[in-house]
Amino acid sequence: MARVPIEEGFFRIPDDPAAQPRLLGSRCPACGEVFFPRRLVCAKCLHEGTEDTELSTSGTIYTWTYCHVPMFGKKDADVSGYGVAQIDLPEGPRVQSILSGARDDFAIGMQVEIDLETLRHDADGNEVVIYRFRPAGDAAHGAGAGS
Amino acid sequence: MTRGLRFDGVAVAGIGMVRFGMLQETPIAHLARDAGLLALHDAGMTLADIDEAFVGYIQPGSMLGIKAMKEFGLTGLPVTHIENASATGLVAFRDAAWAVSSGRADVAMALGFDKFTDMTRGGGRGAGRDQIDAPILPAAYFALWAQRRMHERGTTAEQFATIAAKNWNYGATCPTAHRRSDHVVTAEEVLAARMVAEPLTTMMCCPPDDGAACVILAREDLVRERQPGRPLVRALASALTSETYTPGHTFVGPVVGPSAMTRATAEQCYEAAGLGPEDVSVAYCHDAFVNEELEYYELLGFCAEGEGEKLVAEGATGPGGSIPFNTDGGLLARGHPGGPTGLAMIHEAVLQLRGEAEGRQVENARVALAHLVGGGSVATVNLLGNEGRAP
Ligand SMILES: [Zn+2]
C-alpha cells in the first residue's frame, strides 16, 4: 500500500518505511537564507532563483500547545487530542507541525524529530500522510498523536 | 514605503448592524439589507444619496455584494468587493472614507456581511481539505502565541481569563452583542470552560457567527446638513499593511508570535492623524482569541512591551479604566462573522463618540481606535474622533 502526501510539494516520503521523511526547502544562492516551503523568489533579498534543498530531520520546539479536540481530517476518532508546535530547524525555517506524543511529553526548547502521521485512506487505498514531530530519540510513539 | 492615510472632511453619516449570532433562518441578502437600511435611516438617506459602495465578505461566492446592494435599489452606483479575511470590514470602511476624502464621492457606503452557518453547511470540520495546514485547529495558532508569552513573560492563564471575563461582561451591556451573559462572568468561570487549545478555553475564543453591519461616510458639510443636532464623528486616519519578512517567519498557516505588523501599522496611523496613543479614549482590537488583546495593548502603544499584564491588574482596559478596550464585548462576545466584524467595531466606536453607548459609555470619549488583523497576514488601524478632538 502506497503512502501519499496530504498535499504535494511540501515533503518527500522515503521508499523505506523505516526512513524519515524530508521537508522540501529552498536556499537563496545570493544571501544564503533558507525557506520552507519552497519558493522561487528569496523573501529576504528578493533574488530570483533559489536552489532546492532538503531540510534537517530534527529541530527545537519554539512554542507548543495541546488541542483538546480530535484532529481535523483524521478518520479514526480514537485520538482525543493532539499537540501542535512551532519548530526551529537548524537551517533557519520555523515550521508549524502537529506533534506525536502525549500532553506531558513536550517543553519549549526540547529537541524533536520528524516522522509521518497517517490521516486517512483515500479511494485507492493509499495512506494519506502528513509530517509530524516527536521527541528526539523516542521511538515509542509510533502509533499516533496523543496515544 | 507604505504610510497611513489622513482623511480630510470625512464624517460618519450613518451606522447600522444586526445583532450577530447563529441566524440560519435569515438569507444573507436580508441580513445585509437590514443592516444597510438601519444605516440609511440613521443617515436620513436612501440609496439615491450614495455615490459609491464597498462591500466585504469572506465566505465563498462571487458577486454576493452586488446582489446584496440590489436590496436597496438599482441606481447604477459603482460597487467594489473587498476581502481581507478578518480585517475585511475595516478595509471597506477605509476605502469608503478615502473615496470621500479624495473627492471622488460625496457619500460612500461600507457594507459587510457573512454567514458562518452557510460556510459550514454540509461539510464536516476540515473534511475534504487536502491542504498541508488543514489538520491544525485555527485556535492552535493563537494558543502557540499565548504559550510563548507565558514562557517568556510569566503571563498566567488567569490573566488571559481576566481579559475574557471583562469582554464577556461588556457584551452583556451591548444590545447588538451575540453573547449576552445573564450573570457576571468571572475569570474562574472562563478557566473552567472546556479547554480548546491550551491555555485557551471555549470562553477565550470567539463564537461562530452570522451577521451584517454598515457604515455610511460623507462630506462633513452634508452630514451637518442632514443631522444638525447630532454630535459629529469624523473618520480621521487609517493604515493598512501586510507582513514584512523576518527570520523565523512561518509561511504555512497563519502567522503567530510577536509580530511587528500591528506596531508598524499603528505608528503609521498615529502619524497620519497627528495623534498618539495618549489621545485615544477607547480602543477596539482583534480579540478572536483573548491572548491577542494583551499583545495589542503593547503593540498599539498603550503600554511598554511586557507591561500588558499591569494594565490587566489595574483594570485599565475595563469600565472606568484609562483605556477601555472592546466595550461592545469585542470579537469574543459581540461576535466575529468575518466581513461585518470591522464595521460592527466602527458602529460601537461611533456610539461611544456620539455619547450614545448606554450602559457602557466611556466618559468624555474623544478619539476611538479600531484595529484588526486578517489571516495573520494583514493589519489595519483606524482612528475616529468627535469634535472634542478636531484633527
Ligand atoms: Zn536572498
Side-chain angles (χ1 to χ4, degrees):
Chain A
M1 188 169 46
R3 295 183 293 177
V4 297
I6 182 172
E7 188 176 358
E8 289 288 348
F10 291 87
F11 57 104
R12 180 172 64 78
I13 301 170
D15 296 330
D16 173 7
Q20 286 176 297
R22 298 295 293 264
L23 294 174
L24 305 176
S26 299
R27 185 182 175 283
C28 174
C31 74
E33 197 79 349
V34 176
F35 300 97
F36 174 78
R38 284 191 172 156
R39 53 183 296 122
L40 178 64
V41 177
C42 173
K44 187 177 180 190
C45 76
L46 310 184
H47 173 83
E48 185 179 325
T50 55
E51 295 159 354
D52 289 350
T53 183
E54 294 197 349
L55 303 175
S56 293
T57 55
S58 64
T60 309
I61 291 184
Y62 174 75
T63 181
W64 69 282
T65 183
Y66 195 82
C67 299
H68 293 251
V69 290
M71 192 186 301
F72 281 6
K74 188 168 166 69
K75 262 281 186 269
D76 47 43
D78 60 331
V79 181
S80 60
Y82 63 106
V84 174
Q86 290 184 342
I87 295 136
D88 287 335
L89 300 180
E91 294 87 349
R94 180 168 295 162
V95 179
Q96 301 191 119
S97 172
I98 56 174
L99 295 171
S100 160
R103 153 89 184 61
D104 297 324
D105 290 348
F106 304 99
I108 288 175
M110 139 184 226
Q111 283 287 305
V112 286
E113 57 184 305
I114 195 166
D115 66 7
L116 289 172
E117 168 91 18
T118 300
L119 291 166
R120 55 183 176 267
H121 291 84
D122 68 13
D124 304 321
N126 297 310
E127 280 182 52
V128 178
V129 297
I130 190 168
Y131 56 84
R132 66 180 183 186
F133 283 78
R134 60 178 159 80
D138 179 0
H141 289 291
S147 58
Chain B
M1 184 68 194
T2 60
R3 57 190 169 86
L5 298 176
R6 182 191 176 97
F7 303 129
D8 188 25
V10 182
V12 176
I15 54 171
M17 68 177 287
V18 297
R19 183 185 170 195
F20 294 170
M22 301 301 272
L23 311 170
Q24 291 94 326
E25 305 308 318
T26 315
I28 193 161
H30 290 184
L31 292 176
R33 177 196 67 192
D34 294 349
L37 288 176
L38 285 169
L40 286 166
H41 298 163
D42 189 49
M45 293 178 176
T46 69
L47 190 68
D49 296 296
I50 310 294
D51 298 318
E52 183 160 6
F54 300 87
V55 187
Y57 57 90
I58 65 176
Q59 68 184 79
S62 67
M63 301 300 276
L64 297 185
I66 293 284
K67 285 178 196 158
M69 285 302 297
K70 289 183 197 175
E71 298 285 332
F72 309 115
L74 292 83
T75 59
L77 84 172
V79 177
T80 303
H81 289 75
I82 286 171
E83 195 267 301
N84 253 2
S86 295
T88 294
L90 283 184
V91 177
F93 166 81
R94 162 192 164 87
D95 280 349
W98 184 246
V100 175
S101 186
S102 69
R104 87 184 203 202
D106 292 333
V107 184
M109 175 187 273
L111 175 69
F113 52 80
D114 259 309
K115 277 198 83 175
F116 179 86
T117 52
D118 279 359
M119 284 186 261
T120 49
R121 187 168 293 155
R125 304 175 331 154
R129 282 187 62 204
D130 287 330
Q131 290 171 2
I132 198 77
D133 55 348
I136 301 181
L137 189 72
Y141 294 110
F142 293 90
L144 290 172
W145 193 9
Q147 296 270 80
R148 183 70 198 181
R149 180 165 184 117
M150 293 166 87
H151 175 78
E152 283 179 2
R153 304 260 183 222
T155 313
T156 62
E158 287 76 10
Q159 286 166 323
F160 293 135
T162 301
I163 300 172
K166 184 261 294 175
N167 290 356
W168 275 84
N169 293 326
Y170 262 138
T173 68
C174 178
T176 48
H178 173 174
R179 286 167 159 169
R180 301 194 63 198
S181 173
D182 60 1
H183 60 277
V184 175
V185 172
T186 61
E188 292 69 36
E189 182 182 352
V190 171
L191 288 172
R194 188 170 60 77
M195 185 59 74
V196 180
E198 297 183 26
L200 302 174
T201 67
T202 52
M203 289 182 74
M204 298 185 197
C205 304
C206 66
D209 269 299
D210 303 339
C214 181
V215 174
I216 298 169
L217 294 149
R219 267 177 28 211
E220 196 176 308
D221 58 306
L222 289 175
V223 177
R224 285 191 195 282
E225 192 183 295
R226 297 286 176 125
Q227 306 288 353
R230 177 188 280 169
L232 192 83
V233 176
R234 294 188 180 92
L236 301 179
S238 172
L240 171 66
T241 70
S242 59
E243 296 160 274
T244 54
Y245 178 74
T246 50
H249 187 95
T250 54
F251 284 93
V252 181
V255 178
V256 294
S259 157
M261 191 169 57
T262 286
R263 187 187 295 285
T265 312
E267 281 168 2
Q268 288 179 22
C269 190
Y270 289 135
E271 192 184 338
L275 297 171
E278 66 282 0
D279 297 306
V280 178
S281 326
V282 58
Y284 301 88
C285 74
H286 190 277
D287 64 329
F289 302 95
V290 82
N291 60 295
E292 294 181 84
E293 184 170 316
L294 181 69
E295 301 284 353
Y296 299 137
Y297 295 160
E298 300 172 5
L299 295 170
L300 294 170
F302 294 106
C303 64
E305 207 174 303
E307 309 234 307
E309 292 82 355
K310 246 200 250 173
L311 291 192
V312 179
E314 291 165 0
T317 61
S322 55
I323 178 67
F325 257 73
N326 294 319
T327 55
D328 56 355
L331 281 61
L332 191 66
R334 178 246 297 133
H336 179 33
T341 302
L343 295 167
M345 279 181 161
I346 300 295
H347 185 277
E348 172 69 6
V350 169
L351 289 179
Q352 291 284 352
L353 293 171
R354 285 180 183 170
E356 295 173 358
E358 209 180 311
R360 59 192 188 284
Q361 180 65 46
V362 174
E363 225 176 301
N364 296 318
R366 297 279 182 260
V367 173
L369 177 149
H371 155 270
L372 282 173
V373 292
S377 295
V378 300
T380 182
V381 174
N382 302 268
L383 287 164
L384 299 91
N386 60 21
E387 292 187 277
R389 173 56 104 159

